[in-house]
Amino acid sequence: MIEVSALTKVYKGVTVVNIPGLKVAKGESFGLVGNNGAGKTTFFRMILDLVRPTTGQVTSKEEDVSKNEEWKHYTGSYLDEAFLIDYLTPDEYFEFLATLHNYSSGDLNEYLAQFEELFNDEIQGKKKYIRDLSKGNQKKVGIVAALMGSPEVILLDEPFANLDPTTQIRLKNTLKKWKEENQLTMLISSHDLNHVTEVCERIVLLEKGEVKRDIHTSSSTLKDLEDYFAAY
Amino acid sequence: MFATLLSHNWKEKTRSSIWAKSVLANIFLGFAALMLLTYAVLLGVFIAIGLEDLIDADPIIFINKALLYYFFFEFFLRFFLQNVPVQAIEPYLHLPLKKGRIVHFMLRKSQVSVFNLLAILIFTPFAFIRIGGEYGFYTGFMWWLMIVGAAFTVHFKTMYFKKKLNDIPNLFLIMFLVIALVAGLDYYGIIALSDFSLWVFNWVLEQPLLALIFPLSWFLTYRVNYGYFVNNTYPEELSTRKSTSKISGDFGFLKRFGRTGELIGLELKLILRHKRPRTALIMTGFLLLYGLAFYPQEAYQEMDWIFLFVGIFITGIFFINYGQFLLSWESGYFDFVLTRKVSYRQYFEAKYYMFVVAAAIAFVCSLAYGFFGFKIILINLAAFLFNIGVNIPLVMRIALNSPKKINLNKGAAFNYEGVGAAQFLIAFPVLLLPYAFYLPFRLLGNDTIGLLLVGLIGLLGFLFRDKVIDKLTETFTNKRHKIAAGFRTQ
């Protein structure tokens, strides 16, 4: 599905990402872990064509993402607040996205209904702009927006951060369910080793821009990762 | 302590991204400030020594009569332009520092302001040369002290007023009505504000010691502010942004125009929900009246070549004003712009048509100027066509040159965020280019052919708009990473 070859990004002489090759198969759930400054977000941005790689390329369905815009039609993403139009209300934002995905208002209501639990009655129907929402609620809006339009690929940066425990658990279940039902390819970066090992089948560990581990999740993975980071 | 806070303040200013990133804008701003102060000094010298050449009355009586008006004017100027420096103290509130000290610091520092210099520069020469010359140095000095005290009183009054305004929503309206009433009564001679002003300020000439009332009121207003801020330094109360419960604008009708309409609707929400773009829009409305400054004037009938410039301005001010920051407005969610399910081509198409529609609306409004002659309609038509065919793409193209980030939640006054070299460049081609086609024919004595050519070139540009938008999209596609990185880091 997504293939990376000879990908590097250099900022002022410092290599922040250096990945010779990496493949994410269709339907795979891919978890990215690493300390601050490991290059996780830059890597994700290059997959989304937000940052121009110094060398190499990212292809999605065998097409270079920087060469055409086809990938946008099946890729959902939420990295940070720069993905939200903060002067809209959540309802307006969803409506705007719904038209981009050619949803009717009935489709939209049906789609949003499944997140009612996640929203906890704090998001829809409130006369509040997105910029006035709490960080956690902003994140919920962003993630739900990213899942709209039945994407084949979804990229989320730190989806669990800033969320309350209940929501974290609900989100985890939602993601798992979506993945199974829709053959969704999922790329998630997280500092929360617990959650990420639970959601993802494959974990890649980045350190200073390089892939240090690439493991299939098993019962010992969490322990391995904790040991690795403790010794770092 | 005071020194540390001051150094933080200095660092905040010099390290802010606008300061560091757009030297040009700062040079321009500094230059403008210098000009303003120079004018104030010149005005001061003039009223001190040259006033009797201009008016019949005694200069001292004249100035004393005018002073009250002056301070009203200063109050309004400050009200719109001066910021209440409260945000700056927010990061200190949780630290083990006495609240009073921080507030003292904030209030004292706020006194270092161009607005406080204004009155002093204007009236100092008058105080010492004129009043000092007539009533002696002591009286002149006391009169000067009065001016200083009054200026700082106005300073703190405005500050207090601006804070209070957040609590009492209609205060501004009430004040406006009161002032309108007083001005009206004054105008029709029912009460005379100027006599009151004379009465107050002449007292000081007779009883110089009375001038001390003004420094005293400076101190008192300071204490009032201090009391207010010490009791109200909670971040949510400090915030000058009012929480909105009203959600404006729906623009559902635009949905009928497909993706383009949808994107224009979004942009309209952006414009209406933020101060700065809204100001740009209001300016457009005002500039529609710009023609009134030209068309009725005898002097301009002789040099009617200038009307083309007026036409370009009237029909194009919206895209000149708003379009120069094309992408900067959306810098806050630019990553979303790049990843959402809208092709770049659609994105630019929507922007282009928004500007065309705005220009068309302005043109239709400008038809009223037909009152001053049919020729004006023809000129405006040529200008309108040139705008939609040539100038809009041109402005959009120039705006793609390393745009700067704009924080939409900041106010409009003295906000130079987003201003870079491109913004200084824009005026030249937009205003001069039509003359490149018009002027040669005009000089040859064939005005009409010149206008026709301008209109025709615009029309051609409009007919080839698809090609033009393609070209813009291509440029954007090549620059998108750089632009996004610029918006992200600042």
Side-chain angles (χ1 to χ4, degrees):
Chain A
M1 189 82 198
I2 289 175
E3 208 173 327
V4 168
S5 52
L7 190 71
T8 64
K9 180 69 196 175
V10 181
Y11 282 118
K12 290 178 185 155
V14 181
T15 308
V16 287
V17 172
N18 179 12
I19 302 174
L22 194 76
K23 267 188 194 175
V24 181
K26 187 166 171 54
E28 192 171 41
S29 52
F30 175 95
L32 196 61
V33 296
N35 287 330
N36 292 335
K40 300 187 297 292
T41 308
T42 310
F43 179 43
F44 273 9
R45 283 194 175 138
M46 284 195 281
I47 296 176
L48 291 171
D49 188 38
L50 292 172
V51 166
R52 190 201 300 276
T54 310
T55 66
Q57 58 175 356
V58 178
T59 61
S60 184
K61 288 192 178 174
E62 270 101 53
E63 300 234 42
D64 189 336
V65 292
S66 66
K67 296 278 162 30
N68 70 57
E69 301 179 54
E70 205 36 55
W71 58 271
K72 285 183 187 173
H73 294 280
Y74 56 82
T75 308
S77 54
Y78 182 72
L79 300 192
D80 52 31
E81 291 88 39
F83 282 64
L84 297 172
I85 306 181
D86 65 358
Y87 57 83
L88 298 180
T89 64
D91 291 316
E92 287 174 333
Y93 183 60
F94 291 139
E95 275 161 31
F96 175 66
L97 282 165
T99 58
L100 300 188
H101 294 297
N102 296 322
Y103 275 23
S104 69
S105 62
D107 292 340
L108 177 64
N109 285 338
E110 196 181 320
Y111 172 76
L112 291 176
Q114 48 185 325
F115 298 102
E116 215 163 273
E117 217 184 27
L118 193 74
F119 285 160
N120 196 23
D121 211 19
E122 285 172 12
I123 298 200
Q124 281 182 278
K126 295 278 176 297
K127 291 205 175 300
K128 229 176 172 186
Y129 295 129
I130 292 177
R131 63 174 182 232
D132 298 325
L133 296 179
S134 70
K135 280 251 189 281
N137 281 338
Q138 286 182 345
K139 183 151 269 174
K140 288 183 200 171
V141 173
I143 291 172
V144 170
L147 286 168
M148 204 187 282
S150 323
E152 293 173 49
V153 183
I154 181 156
L155 277 92
L156 300 173
D157 195 8
E158 304 272 3
F160 303 109
N162 287 326
L163 294 179
D164 58 75
T166 309
T167 312
Q168 288 185 20
I169 292 161
R170 280 180 188 162
L171 177 66
K172 208 161 58 186
N173 294 335
T174 310
L175 288 176
K176 275 182 172 167
K177 200 180 96 196
W178 266 73
K179 187 195 155 314
E180 269 154 37
E181 286 173 5
N182 304 322
Q183 272 288 299
L184 182 67
T185 312
M186 216 157 55
L187 288 86
I188 291 177
S189 87
S190 183
H191 287 307
D192 194 314
L193 301 176
N194 232 322
H195 288 320
V196 82
T197 46
E198 206 175 314
V199 175
C200 297
E201 301 157 342
R202 177 185 174 190
I203 303 282
V204 163
L205 195 155
L206 276 188
E207 186 190 309
K208 301 212 169 88
E210 292 184 17
V211 176
K212 289 289 171 186
R213 299 273 167 91
D214 187 347
I215 31 185
H216 194 81
T217 319
S218 64
S219 52
S220 66
T221 308
L222 180 61
K223 181 88 181 56
D224 285 351
L225 289 174
E226 274 171 357
D227 290 346
Y228 179 91
F229 283 112
Y232 182 78
Chain B
M1 192 61 231
F2 204 82
T4 316
L5 288 177
L6 209 60
S7 92
H8 285 180
N9 236 279
W10 173 249
K11 281 172 184 156
E12 185 201 342
K13 289 270 158 22
T14 50
R15 292 175 185 181
S16 85
S17 51
I18 349 171
W19 180 267
K21 290 261 157 60
S22 63
V23 185
L24 210 58
N26 282 301
I27 293 175
F28 175 74
L29 260 186
F31 192 68
L34 208 67
M35 288 276 283
L36 197 73
L37 291 182
T38 315
Y39 282 140
V41 170
L42 287 178
L43 183 67
V45 173
F46 170 75
I47 63 167
I49 56 176
L51 202 58
E52 60 260 63
D53 296 340
L54 206 69
I55 51 158
D56 287 334
D58 177 2
I60 293 180
I61 292 180
F62 179 80
I63 288 295
N64 274 350
K65 270 184 174 176
L67 268 182
L68 204 61
Y69 291 102
Y70 170 80
F71 283 114
F72 265 126
F73 163 75
E74 201 184 287
F75 178 77
F76 267 96
L77 197 70
R78 285 166 184 272
F79 185 84
F80 287 108
L81 300 180
Q82 189 174 304
N83 288 323
V84 185
V86 283
Q87 253 96 20
I89 63 169
E90 225 182 292
Y92 300 101
L93 289 177
H94 67 287
L95 297 176
L97 277 169
K98 275 233 165 63
K99 219 181 224 178
R101 279 180 95 167
I102 310 174
V103 173
H104 270 311
F105 168 74
M106 180 193 87
L107 291 176
R108 280 180 204 159
K109 209 215 81 196
S110 78
Q111 297 175 114
V112 186
S113 153
V114 185
F115 296 104
N116 292 335
L117 268 173
L118 213 58
I120 296 174
L121 286 179
I122 293 176
F123 294 110
T124 301
F126 189 82
F128 292 107
I129 298 175
R130 178 72 66 177
I131 295 184
E134 232 164 275
Y135 292 83
F137 176 78
Y138 170 64
T139 312
F141 175 76
M142 291 312 269
W143 193 84
W144 179 79
L145 209 61
M146 171 194 81
I147 293 289
V148 175
F152 282 95
T153 305
V154 173
H155 171 86
F156 284 115
K157 272 233 170 83
T158 323
M159 209 150 127
Y160 187 69
F161 196 75
K162 262 190 131 166
K163 282 317 299 176
K164 274 282 170 196
L165 199 63
N166 284 357
D167 305 338
I168 314 168
N170 286 328
L171 189 62
F172 184 62
L173 194 71
I174 295 167
M175 188 188 75
F176 184 79
L177 287 177
V178 168
I179 288 184
L181 189 75
V182 171
L185 290 176
D186 187 44
Y187 183 80
Y188 290 108
I190 299 169
I191 59 160
L193 208 58
S194 50
D195 285 346
F196 180 68
S197 174
L198 182 68
W199 178 68
V200 170
F201 296 108
N202 254 5
W203 250 17
V204 173
L205 297 180
E206 287 156 22
Q207 281 296 332
L209 266 181
L210 280 174
L212 289 177
I213 290 173
F214 289 88
L216 199 69
S217 83
W218 170 9
F219 179 73
L220 276 178
T221 44
Y222 179 95
R223 291 305 301 186
V224 168
N225 269 286
Y226 176 79
Y228 179 79
F229 280 113
V230 161
N231 289 322
N232 294 285
T233 38
Y234 291 95
E236 59 175 24
E237 289 170 19
L238 284 177
S239 159
T240 37
R241 206 175 76 209
K242 275 186 262 181
S243 61
T244 37
S245 54
K246 211 177 92 223
I247 304 298
S248 60
D250 183 27
F251 307 113
F253 65 93
L254 282 170
K255 288 196 170 67
R256 269 184 293 156
F257 299 100
R259 188 64 37 96
T260 304
E262 193 69 41
L263 290 170
I264 291 179
L266 180 70
E267 192 116 19
L268 286 179
K269 281 179 191 160
L270 185 154
I271 294 170
L272 293 178
R273 290 177 185 184
H274 299 98
K275 243 188 193 155
R276 194 165 160 202
R278 206 164 47 213
T279 312
L281 189 70
I282 293 169
M283 282 273 287
T284 309
F286 271 118
L287 276 160
L288 276 178
L289 304 174
Y290 195 53
L292 290 178
F294 285 89
Y295 301 140
Q297 301 278 337
E298 277 299 316
Y300 290 116
Q301 303 306 326
E302 302 285 297
M303 40 192 280
D304 61 350
W305 52 269
I306 209 165
F307 290 168
L308 182 61
F309 158 83
V310 179
I312 292 280
F313 223 62
I314 288 178
T315 58
I317 187 63
F318 178 68
F319 73 79
I320 296 173
N321 228 333
Y322 183 80
Q324 58 176 324
F325 300 116
L326 197 68
L327 303 175
S328 302
W329 298 117
E330 295 180 286
S331 56
Y333 57 92
F334 201 68
D335 283 352
F336 173 71
V337 170
L338 292 180
T339 53
R340 70 184 169 190
K341 222 169 164 178
V342 173
S343 72
Y344 301 144
R345 159 85 207 197
Q346 285 169 332
Y347 179 55
F348 274 84
E349 207 172 81
K351 287 202 185 294
Y352 177 78
Y353 282 116
M354 180 176 71
F355 293 138
V356 170
V357 170
I361 292 172
F363 172 66
V364 171
C365 293
S366 79
L367 286 178
Y369 285 126
F371 178 74
F372 296 105
F374 187 64
K375 181 83 186 292
I376 290 185
I377 293 186
L378 287 184
I379 293 174
N380 283 350
L381 180 64
F384 164 67
L385 289 174
F386 195 82
N387 271 339
I388 62 169
V390 180
N391 277 342
I392 292 177
L394 200 68
V395 168
M396 287 172 76
R397 176 62 192 82
I398 296 176
L400 286 178
N401 285 335
S402 52
K404 308 260 185 311
K405 190 181 174 75
I406 285 181
N407 182 350
L408 279 173
N409 296 324
K410 286 190 185 160
F414 281 126
N415 189 343
Y416 281 82
E417 246 183 357
V419 176
Q423 278 62 42
F424 288 91
L425 277 176
I426 268 171
F428 294 106
V430 167
L431 297 176
L432 295 183
L433 206 57
Y435 280 101
F437 301 105
Y438 174 63
L439 220 51
F441 288 95
R442 161 98 192 172
L443 292 174
L444 290 172
N446 214 330
D447 199 59
T448 319
I449 293 195
L451 278 181
L452 216 61
L453 187 67
V454 170
L456 207 65
I457 284 173
L459 195 63
L460 269 178
F462 185 67
L463 290 178
F464 284 103
R465 62 188 179 277
D466 282 340
K467 283 261 173 308
V468 173
I469 297 172
D470 278 343
K471 197 80 198 140
L472 281 170
T473 312
E474 197 190 310
T475 315
F476 172 74
T477 311
N478 291 332
K479 288 172 171 258
R480 67 189 187 282
H481 294 111
K482 245 180 94 183
I483 295 173
F487 286 161
R488 227 175 275 132
T489 51
Q490 285 171 36

